[in-house]
Amino acid sequence: MLVKSRTKSMEMQLYLSLGARMTLLEKEKQYLWNMEKGYEGECMFDALTEKLEGCNHLILNDLLLKHNNTTFQIDSLIITPRNAYLFEVKNFEGDYIYDTRTDQLHVKANSKDYEVTNPLNQLNRCNSLLRLFFQSYGFNLPIIASVVFINSEFTLYQSPPDKPFIHPTQINRYLKGLQKDSSFKLTKMHTALAEKLTSLHIVDSPFKTLPEYSYDQVGKGLMCASCSSLSVVVERRTARCVRCHKVETLEEIVLRHVGEFRMLFPDRPVSTKNIHEWCKQIESQKTIKRILDKHFSIKGSNRWSYFE
């Protein structure tokens, strides 16, 4: 059973918005690409775990927790009657080599080898902190931790068989093995653990690395929810993306852009004038005001009014 689903982080949403509305620096483009690549791989793994049969498991995705003033992130956690399965998901692509002498990981690119961070380091840190977290709240459940290489185009040469690696060809078989707990039942302890983890999840990461931007720098206009294009045209009561043809009602797209406006510019008031300027393809201010009146409370009066 899925207890906590995965969502795009606020940092990723902000980068996606800015990437569509302004020119990012090369290092910022690379950072966004890495976030998107990682998120894509995690969603691929989610699609597999959600196919697990029965109700003898609890799935929690994308947890950010703190223990003893140390913050750690969990890609996926599956709680079964006998174990907690911790997964570090990597969407690596291409040919990699594991150096068994140094426990270093290298990627082969352009006839050269480049060292990359060994995902076992992150897994071991997360495993240790999660175990201490369990102990501090009185949960006695063994943790089995693994690195999942989700991309079918990934190959790891010299992969040590004693390391907790799950390769692309092993994932389905490994997940089917979780069904072996089917003869056991989840208890109130398992439910309490899932609830505790969910309740202590940190929504807004303190480690955001945000690009510099200003209101005048970013392009205005309706952005497609599907392809992030600004090629959106208004047709009566709907808005259609010229690029991917996604259609939204005006109410849906205005509310989504209010959320984006608040995310990017929390110090600017949500006023009819500001949102009309932000959603510039919508010519009628009356349409904007009608939608804001319906969903938000108005504060102030006359030209100083704004919505909350």
Side-chain angles (χ1 to χ4, degrees):
M1 181 177 72
L2 181 62
V3 176
K4 183 185 178 301
S5 59
R6 189 180 311 280
T7 58
K8 293 177 182 177
S9 68
M10 188 68 71
E11 180 183 30
M12 185 175 173
Q13 291 180 53
L14 189 144
Y15 265 89
L16 287 170
S17 177
L18 292 178
R21 296 183 180 277
M22 61 181 283
T23 301
L24 298 175
L25 299 176
E26 286 303 317
K27 65 178 182 179
E28 294 166 346
K29 291 179 182 178
Q30 183 63 42
Y31 187 70
L32 173 57
W33 186 88
N34 289 337
M35 281 194 290
E36 290 185 284
K37 186 75 171 177
Y39 183 77
E40 176 189 24
E42 291 160 359
C43 289
M44 289 165 62
F45 187 64
D46 295 347
L48 296 176
T49 59
E50 288 172 16
K51 292 179 182 178
L52 287 172
E53 298 178 356
C55 57
N56 282 358
H57 58 271
L58 303 172
I59 302 173
L60 296 95
N61 296 321
D62 191 27
L63 288 167
L64 186 63
L65 303 168
K66 178 180 284 190
H67 181 73
N68 287 341
N69 295 319
T70 303
T71 304
F72 61 105
Q73 185 169 359
I74 296 174
D75 288 343
S76 291
L77 185 71
I78 299 180
I79 299 172
T80 70
R82 294 192 293 184
N83 299 297
Y85 293 87
L86 172 65
F87 297 102
E88 176 73 23
V89 182
K90 292 300 178 185
N91 194 14
F92 292 167
E93 187 174 350
D95 295 328
Y96 288 69
I97 301 173
Y98 196 97
D99 189 334
T100 55
R101 298 168 302 169
T102 61
D103 279 333
Q104 292 177 339
L105 201 64
H106 297 260
V107 59
K108 299 171 65 176
N110 300 323
S111 302
K112 295 182 180 180
D113 289 347
Y114 300 93
E115 183 182 349
V116 298
T117 302
N118 190 337
L120 284 178
N121 298 337
Q122 188 171 354
L123 179 73
N124 292 334
R125 176 181 180 274
C126 186
N127 187 13
S128 176
L129 289 167
L130 183 62
R131 186 171 62 253
L132 293 173
F133 180 96
F134 280 13
Q135 292 172 0
S136 67
Y137 289 101
F139 295 107
N140 184 23
L141 194 65
I143 300 172
I144 299 176
S146 304
V147 175
V148 177
F149 296 111
I150 191 67
N151 198 309
S152 61
E153 300 296 321
F154 169 83
T155 300
L156 180 60
Y157 295 98
Q158 301 174 190
S159 177
D162 61 331
K163 301 297 183 184
F165 292 149
I166 304 175
H167 295 276
T169 56
Q170 301 172 316
I171 298 173
N172 286 330
R173 187 165 67 251
Y174 187 92
L175 293 178
K176 287 180 181 178
L178 299 187
Q179 303 296 125
K180 64 181 180 292
D181 285 355
S182 59
S183 59
F184 298 86
K185 300 296 181 182
L186 293 170
T187 66
K188 292 182 179 179
M189 181 274 290
H190 299 96
T191 304
L193 172 57
E195 291 175 350
K196 175 61 70 175
L197 289 165
T198 304
S199 68
L200 294 178
H201 167 65
I202 302 170
V203 176
D204 193 14
S205 171
F207 304 115
K208 294 192 297 291
T209 305
L210 304 180
E212 294 184 2
Y213 64 94
S214 67
Y215 184 77
D216 292 334
Q217 281 180 286
V218 299
K220 314 303 187 291
L222 300 176
M223 184 174 72
C224 176
S226 180
C227 70
S228 298
S229 165
L230 293 178
S231 303
V232 176
V233 296
V234 174
E235 299 172 336
R236 296 185 179 180
R237 296 184 179 182
T238 62
R240 176 177 59 85
C241 177
V242 175
R243 179 181 294 177
C244 72
H245 308 295
K246 179 177 177 60
V247 175
E248 293 179 274
T249 66
L250 283 187
E251 186 166 311
E252 289 171 338
I253 204 165
V254 167
L255 293 176
R256 183 164 60 78
H257 280 72
V258 168
E260 182 195 25
F261 182 83
R262 281 176 156 175
M263 174 184 68
L264 292 175
F265 308 105
D267 296 330
R268 283 182 171 261
V270 177
S271 64
T272 301
K273 180 177 180 295
N274 284 345
I275 299 304
H276 179 252
E277 183 178 42
W278 190 245
C279 305
K280 67 177 185 179
Q281 290 99 316
I282 302 176
E283 296 181 358
S284 171
Q285 283 201 33
K286 289 183 178 179
T287 299
I288 299 291
K289 187 176 186 307
R290 174 179 57 79
I291 295 171
L292 294 179
D293 282 339
K294 180 178 178 181
H295 293 275
F296 301 96
S297 299
I298 191 167
K299 304 291 182 180
S301 59
N302 300 326
R303 58 189 293 237
W304 306 112
S305 63
Y306 62 96
F307 294 86
E308 287 186 346

